[in-house]
Amino acid sequence: MRSSLLAAAAVLMVSAAAAGQAPEALTLRPDWQPGHTSRYAFTTTRDTATTVSANGQSQSANSQIETQGEVTWRVEKVRPDGSSTCTMTLDWITIAATAPGDESWKVDSRQGSGKPEPLHELARALAGTPLTMTVAADGTVTAVAGRDAMKAKVS
């Protein structure tokens, strides 16, 4: 999010310079209002290629892990200095993997069960458990509370 704001600021300054105008001052610090709620979807993919060599022979293997989900971010309190307290909740998450030999699996926190079971249990613990974050005026997260509730869900 922070890099998106910086990119937007750069575009505005270049546009103003091209038009022959002095760029306006731009503040990049968060300007949140109590009660504001945002929802984000995310996808990450990690491809791994591994090669092992020994005694003049080598063997390669490829694997992929893809994570998808949705997060809700709610501003609970904004202090006069611009710092805030926010709640972040992972609404749901899926984790899918393809391992060497075309072995694959997928867990989904919205489902009652999944294999491998320990990973499914972790996904369900992460989803729906709010984290309360203290955020400095510049957007830096300075404290996170609620991790113990996640840990308690994992047996």
Side-chain angles (χ1 to χ4, degrees), residues 32-139:
W32 290 328
Q33 301 299 317
H36 179 81
T37 301
S38 300
R39 194 154 190 200
Y40 304 94
F42 66 88
T43 300
T44 61
T45 303
R46 180 177 182 163
D47 291 306
T48 305
T50 306
T51 302
V52 177
S53 298
N55 298 325
Q57 296 183 0
S58 63
Q59 187 170 7
S60 297
N62 297 317
S63 61
Q64 181 183 73
I65 297 178
E66 181 178 89
T67 307
Q68 295 182 332
E70 289 186 7
V71 175
T72 299
W73 182 270
R74 179 173 168 77
V75 179
E76 304 296 341
K77 179 180 181 181
V78 179
R79 289 177 277 293
D81 67 356
S83 63
S84 59
T85 301
C86 301
T87 302
M88 184 189 83
T89 305
L90 179 63
D91 299 313
W92 60 270
I93 186 170
T94 62
I95 307 167
T98 303
D102 292 328
E103 177 186 349
S104 63
W105 48 262
K106 180 177 181 179
V107 296
D108 186 333
S109 65
R110 299 167 291 186
Q111 302 299 317
S113 63
K115 292 189 180 193
E117 188 57 39
L119 188 58
H120 184 260
E121 187 177 335
L122 176 63
R124 289 187 49 95
L126 294 173
T129 305
L131 294 174
T132 301
M133 301 191 187
T134 303
V135 183
D138 68 357

